[in-house]
């Protein structure tokens, strides 16, 4: 009975060690995926903000031109 109990304990220890190894692997993969997702999200936000800034700059230029035309007509 003692030998059987010892075998079970060894088997359980191996299972726990394998489970910990698998958990560490899963966690590592999740961290890699999270970093990649953050990188892609940052790139998307940067691109969107850049395009918005460019669009706003063009709009501002058009507004300035329109004001100049109104000033020229008013004179």
């Amino acid at each position: 009975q003692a030998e059987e109990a010892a075998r079970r304990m060894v088997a359980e220890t191996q299972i726990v060690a394998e489970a910990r190894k698998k958990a560490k692997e899963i966690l590592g993969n999740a961290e890699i995926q999270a970093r990649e997702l953050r990188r892609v999200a940052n790139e998307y936000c940067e691109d969107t903000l850049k395009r918005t800034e460019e669009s706003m700059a063009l709009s501002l230029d058009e507004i300035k031109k329109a004001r100049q035309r109104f000033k020229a007509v008013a004179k």
Side-chain angles (χ1 to χ4, degrees), residues 34-49:
R35 278 194 300 271
E36 178 64 12
L37 183 58
R38 277 191 297 272
R39 185 188 66 75
V40 170
N42 284 340
E43 284 180 4
Y44 174 78
C45 289
E46 171 61 27
D47 182 60
T48 301
L49 290 170

Side-chain angles (χ1 to χ4, degrees), residues 23-35:
K24 188 175 180 179
E25 179 183 321
I26 291 169
L27 184 58
N29 288 337
E31 288 171 350
I32 290 169
Q33 289 177 347
R35 278 194 300 271

Side-chain angles (χ1 to χ4, degrees), residues 4-20:
E4 181 59 29
R7 274 193 221 95
R8 272 186 275 142
M9 288 174 33
V10 168
E12 288 174 6
T13 302
Q14 289 174 343
I15 291 170
V16 169
E18 288 178 26
R20 286 185 177 151

